[in-house]
Amino acid sequence: MTDWNMLTLVGADRPGIVARVTRALYGAGCNLGEASMIRLGGNFTIMLMVGGERPCAELEAALSPIAEELGLRLHLDPVHGGLHQHLVPNLQVRVAGADRAGIVADVTEILAEQGFNILELESDVAGDAERPLYIMNIQGYCDHTLESLEEALSGLAAKGISVDVAPIDVLIG
């Protein structure tokens, strides 16, 4: 039986982070599961499911020298679960509006009320300092129709938030 840990690493972006970390995990006899790795504001963030028979302390010992050398903050948590246990997204919500406090809360509260399960959320601030534009792309799963979600989100236009809901093609193979 494989035990899973959620590995989180954060630090200044630079070439070679993924190569060094995954080589150390391979050397420690670990299996890699689902991952999210992305650059955010000049930082590189790794969230990675790591499987294996080694206790957390041994994994931390294997990764700490690399994390220290690369200036990464390391966090490791035992987690329940495994692979192939997630929903496949069926809807995508694209949001754009003047950057302001509360835009994410406004959109995601409505989605939650509709039973929309957020599986991935990415955002960025575009434009310039005088006219910043907040852009958000959300993928998720919801049993409600596309039209009912559009209706629920339609009131956001009065707040200057543009929202587009579209299906995601889930045909695989």
Side-chain angles (χ1 to χ4, degrees):
M1 177 175 129
T2 299
D3 294 315
W4 291 97
N5 291 286
M6 182 63 68
L7 170 65
T8 306
L9 294 158
V10 179
D13 188 25
R14 62 189 266 185
I17 293 173
V18 176
R20 296 285 308 279
V21 169
T22 57
R23 178 58 63 190
L25 290 168
Y26 173 75
C30 295
N31 295 313
L32 306 184
E34 296 170 8
S36 177
M37 303 183 195
I38 191 166
R39 183 202 48 79
L40 297 169
N43 294 290
F44 192 71
T45 302
I46 296 173
M47 288 188 346
L48 174 64
M49 289 183 65
V50 178
E53 303 299 325
R54 293 182 175 241
C56 279
E58 286 185 28
L59 288 177
E60 283 189 49
L63 292 169
S64 289
I66 291 161
E68 187 174 319
E69 179 185 333
L70 297 175
L72 303 172
R73 289 179 304 281
L74 181 150
H75 189 81
L76 197 60
D77 287 304
V79 293
H80 295 289
L83 305 178
H84 315 292
Q85 296 186 16
H86 59 82
L87 295 170
V88 175
N90 65 345
L91 293 171
Q92 176 172 284
V93 179
R94 290 181 295 251
V95 177
D99 187 28
R100 63 163 179 77
I103 193 169
V104 176
D106 288 345
V107 174
T108 58
E109 282 176 348
I110 293 170
L111 292 174
E113 289 168 359
Q114 298 298 307
F116 188 99
N117 187 356
I118 296 174
L119 302 174
E120 184 175 320
L121 185 153
E122 293 179 334
S123 67
D124 199 0
V125 180
D128 55 41
E130 294 173 14
R131 296 178 53 101
L133 176 67
Y134 192 80
I135 301 167
M136 184 168 47
N137 186 43
I138 303 169
Q139 292 188 2
Y141 182 84
C142 189
D143 287 329
H144 288 252
T145 65
L146 182 139
E147 293 78 16
S148 67
L149 279 176
E150 288 175 329
E151 167 99 15
L153 293 161
S154 66
L156 293 172
K159 294 182 175 186
I161 302 171
S162 170
V163 181
D164 176 60
V165 181
I168 295 176
D169 183 6
V170 293
L171 181 63
I172 299 173

